[in-house]
Amino acid sequence: MLSGDVVLAAALIYVALLFAVAFFGDWRAGQGRLGWLSSPVVYTLSISIYCTSWTYYGMVGSATRDGIEFAAVYIGPMLVFIGWWLLLRKLVRIGRVHRITSIADMVSSRYGKSTALAALVTVIAVVASTPYIALQLKAVVASFEVISGAHADGGMFGPRGDSTLALGVAVGMAVFAILFGTRNIDVDERHHGVVAAIALEAMVKLVAMLGVGLLVVFGIADGPGEIFAHMPAQLLRSEQVLGPRWVTVVFLSAAAVVCLPRQFQVTVVEIGNERHLRTASWLFPLYLFLITLFVLPIAIAGLTWLPAGANPDMFMLTLPLWAQRPEIALLAFLGGFSAATSMVIVAAIALSTMVSNHLILPVALRLPRLSLAASGDMRRLLLRSRRISICLILLLGFLYLRLNARFNPIASIGLTSFAGIVQLLPALLGGLFWRQATGRGAAAGLCAGAAVWAYTLLLPSFKGDWLLSAATMADGPFGLHWLRPYALFGLDGLDPLVHSVFWSFTLNVLLFVGVSLLRDPKPLERLQSALFIDVFRDPLGDTSRFVSRSATTSDLNILAQRLMGVDEARQLLEGGAGSDAGANEPIADETLIAELERKLAGSVGAASARAMISQVVTGETISLSALLRIADETERIRAYNLQLENQSRQLAEAAAELRLANERLTQLDRQKDDFLSHVSHEVRTPMTSIRSFAEILLDSGDLERAQVQRFLGIIHEQSLRMTRLLDGILDLNVLEDGAASWMLTPVDPEVALDNALSLCEGLGSASGVRPRRLARLDGVRVMADVDYLTQVFINLIANAIQHNTSDAPRVLVSSAVREGMYVALIEDNGPGIHPSERERIFSKFSRGWAHTRSATQGAGLGLAISWQIMQRLGGSLKLLPARPGGQAGNCFQVRLACCPPTATPMSTRAPSPLAD
Amino acid sequence: MDSRFAARARLKDAAVLLPFTGLFLLMPPFIGLFPPDARLAGIPVMVLYVFGVWGLLIALAALLARRLSASERRPPEPPPG
C-alpha cells in the first residue's frame, strides 16, 4: 500500500513531465524542426491511444470472465492495420488531399459538404464517446483509490465523496487539452505537442504493462507453465467464447479503430507523411501484441492468489501490491493514468473540433452579429468555442460517470461505446467505395442505427435508472412485448451486445442503401463522390472545370482575414492560387475561391467552409455533364485500354500475315526474274550461233557446199533447240496456270511406260544405252491422262540416258503396286545429281547435270514440267535419296494412286503447286 | 519493366489478401479447431495459436511494407495534393 500523498505527488510530477514534453514538442514544431516528432514510430505510438485504460485495466477483468475474448478487441484493429492497403491508405490520402479535420468532416464532405450530416455525426460521436470518457475517469479514480488504499477491496467508485477526485482529473485533462489542443487554429489541424506527450504515454503504458506481466510470470509464478497450470478450466470455453460474440467484437473493434473520433484524429488528421502508415501497418499490431501478451497470465494470477471478491479490473495494481512490490504498483498506476489521460485528451480535442466546427459555427454563422458583414477576427470565436466544447465533453463524461458507472465493468462500457460509434461505418465505407451513396441515405442509416443502439444498449446500461425503467426493460414500453430492448422484434436469447449490433447495423445498412437508391445524388454529392472514390486516380484534379461561381476579391479577402489573419490572407490572394487570379482582379474566379475554401476547410471543416464561402459567392453552378463525363472516364479508359490491346494484337497478327505474304511475293518475283534471265540466257546461246552462222553464210559466197550444209545443219539444230525450249516454257505455263481442267480417265500406266520406252529407243541406241525393263504389271489402273503420263516417263528416261556418262551406262525401269499406290522407278548408274542441287532439282532451269560432261544440254525444264504434271495428276515425283555407300546414279520415283478398274471417268482439277 | 510491374501487382494482391487470411485464421469455425484443454509446454494450444498467428501476420505485414516501399521507389507515385 502506498500513501495517497506519494501517489498524488508521483502523478503530479508525471503530469508536469507531460506538460513539459508537450510544450517542448510545440516549441520544436514552432521552430520548424520536426525531426523525430514526425517519425513513423511517434505516429504509431500516437495511434496506440486505442489502448485506453479499458485495455489497461478492463482487459484483465474481461479475461477473468470470458477468457480469450479480450483478444478480439485487438484482433480487429490488427486486421485493419495489416490490411492498410485496402482502407486506411485511401482514408489518409483523402484526408490529406481534402484537409479533413475530423470524421464528421469526412462524412459530410463526401456527401456534398452537408452541414446537417456533419452535425448528426458529431452528435452521435459525442454521445457514443461519453461512456468511453467516463470509463477513463472511472479508471483513474478507481486506480487511485486502490493504490492509496482508500478502498482496500478495490471497490468501485461510490456515489459520494470521490466525485471530487474524478472532477479534479477531468479538470486537469481539460486544461491540458485546452493548452495544447487549442493553441491556434492550425491550417492542418496537427498538434505536435499533444502527439509528443501521447507518444511518451504510450511508451509508459507499454513498459508498465510488460513490467507487471514479467513480475507476475517470472516473479510471482515460475514461468508461464505454472501460471497456466492454475488456469480455471472454464476460462477457455471455446464453444461459448468463439461464437457470435467473438465475431461481433472483432467486427466492432475493427470498425472502431477507424471510426472513433480520436483514432481518426491520430491516424488520418495528425499524420505527417503517408509513408508512416506503412510502418504503422505492422508496428501498431506489434504494439497491440505486446500489450496483450500478459493479460491472460495476469488474470489467472489474480484469480489464483488474490482473495476472492477482489475486483478483477484492478488486478494490474493489486497484484504488485500483494507481491510487496510498491514500485511496480506505482509504475502500473502511472501506466493506467497514461492510458486514460492520453485517450481523454485526444478524444476531447477531436470531439471539440467537431463540436465547434459542425455544431457551434453553423449556428454562429446565422447570427447577424457574427455574419460576414460584421468585421472582426473569427479565430477567437473558433478557439473559444473549442475550449468550451472540451469542457462540455469532459463534463458530459463526468455526468455519465455519476449516473451510470457504478454497476458496469470497464470492458462492457467500452463495448457499448464501440457499438455506438460503429454506426458511422456504413456511411464512411459507402462514401469511399460506392458512387451512388447519398447524404440522405447516410443520414437515414445513421439516425436509425444510432436510435436502435441507444435503445438497445446505451439506455439499458443505466440499469433502469434513467429514461428506461426496469419494467420497460423486462416487458417493453407500454407493455409492447416485441419492443423489449434486449429482445427487439422478438429476437430473444442473444447476448445484448450481439443483439444490439445486429439490429442497429442491419437497419443502418438497409436504410443507407435503400434511401441512397431512391434518388440520384445531388451535383455536389456527385462531384465529391468522384473526388473521394477516385482519389488515387486523380482524374479530376482542379475542380474548377466543373464548378463555376464568382465573388468579389474584397469579399474573399475579408473572409480570409477573419479566419487566417491578415498576412496569410494576403499571401493567399496575391500568390497562392493561380497566377492570373491575383488580388488586383476585382472579381475572383473559381480557382481562387476553391483554394480559399480548401484552406478554410482545413480549420473549420468542409461544411462550414462551404457555408462561409456561399455567403460571398454568387451564381454557383456545377456542370453535371462534365462531371458525369469524368466519372465515366475511368470506366471508358479501362474499356478503351482493353480495346487497344485487342486491336494491337490483331494488328500484330495482320502484320505477320502481311510479312509472310510479302516474303512469298518477293520470292515469286525473284523466281520470275530468275526465270526471265534463264530464258533469255537459254534463248541467247542458240540465237547467237544461228546469227553468226547466218552472217557467215551471207557474207562469204564462196563457201564449200559441205561447209554450207554443216552450217545450215547447225542453224537448224539450234532452232530446234529453241523451239523445244519455247515449247517447254509454254507447257510449263499451261501447267502452272492450271486453268484448264484435265479429263482424267482410268488408264493403264504400264502402257504409258511402254510408249515412253519405245519412243526413247532411238535416243538410247544413239548413246549406246538400252534401258532394261523389269517385269510388267497387269491390270493396274490409275486416274490419269495417258499422254501427260507418257511425257513424264519420256523426260525421266531421256534424262537417265542422256546424262549418263559412265563407262558402262545402264538404265533400269521397274514398276510395282505398294499399298494401293502405283510406283514406277527409273534408275541409272550415271554420275548422279550433285548433293547441293538435289533440293532444287524440280525447279525451272535447275541443271542437276551441269557438272556432267554429257553431250546434250537440256533446257532445264523437263523435270519441272514432269513435277507439275504429277502434281496435276494427283500423284508425286520424287528423287529418292542416294543410297549411302551404294553405287552412284539417280533413282526417280513416280507415284500414283491406283483406282478400282470399274471407276468411271472423272474430272479433277489438281491444285496448283504454286498456290501452296 | 514488365516484370517489375508484375512484381508490384503481386505485392498489391498480397497486401489485399493478408487481412482476409488473418480473418479466416482467427474466426470461427477455424479458430474453434483448437480444443481449450490441449496444452503445449503447459500453455493452452489455443492461446499459442492466437498469438502465433498474430505474430506471423505482423511479420508478413512488415515484410510486405518493406517490399512495397522498395518497389515504389522506382516508379514514383503522384505527389499528395
Side-chain angles (χ1 to χ4, degrees), chain A residues 68 70-71 74-75 78-79 82-86 89 93 96-97 224-225 228-229 231 236 238 242-243 246-247 250 274-275 278 281-282 285-286 288-289 292-293 296, chain B residues 8 12 15-16 18-20 22-23 26-28 31-32 34 36-37 39 41-44 46-47 50-51 54-55 57-58 61-62 65 68-69 72 77-78 80-81:
Chain A
I68 201 151
F70 73 89
Y74 304 91
I75 284 171
M78 184 260 291
L79 292 176
I82 63 168
W84 63 286
W85 188 268
L86 278 173
R89 194 174 61 108
R93 171 64 65 87
R96 283 170 64 80
V97 171
F228 282 106
M231 187 179 75
L236 291 180
S238 59
L242 301 174
W246 174 270
V247 178
V250 168
E274 281 179 44
R275 290 180 170 277
R278 212 162 280 175
S281 75
W282 60 270
L286 182 63
L288 295 177
F289 179 88
T292 47
L293 196 54
L296 210 51
Chain B
R8 193 160 156 67
K12 283 181 190 170
V16 171
L18 188 61
F20 293 107
L23 197 66
L26 293 172
M27 277 289 138
I31 195 175
F34 301 87
D37 300 328
R39 291 184 183 230
I43 302 170
M46 195 173 85
V47 176
V50 169
F51 281 93
W54 197 330
L57 290 174
I58 292 170
L68 273 169
S69 296
E72 218 160 71
E77 266 195 318

Side-chain angles (χ1 to χ4, degrees), chain A residues 3-14 144 147-148 165 330 333:
Chain A
S3 94
D5 294 342
V6 173
V7 177
L8 202 59
L12 287 179
I13 291 171
Y14 181 66
F144 185 80
I147 198 169
S148 63
L165 184 58
L330 190 61
F333 170 74

Side-chain angles (χ1 to χ4, degrees), chain A residues 64 72 271 289 298 317 362 445 465 483 496 511 547 558 578 686 748-749 809:
Chain A
T64 58
I271 190 168
F289 179 88
I298 293 172
L317 296 173
D465 272 7
L483 276 182
L511 279 172
V547 187
I558 294 170
D748 186 349

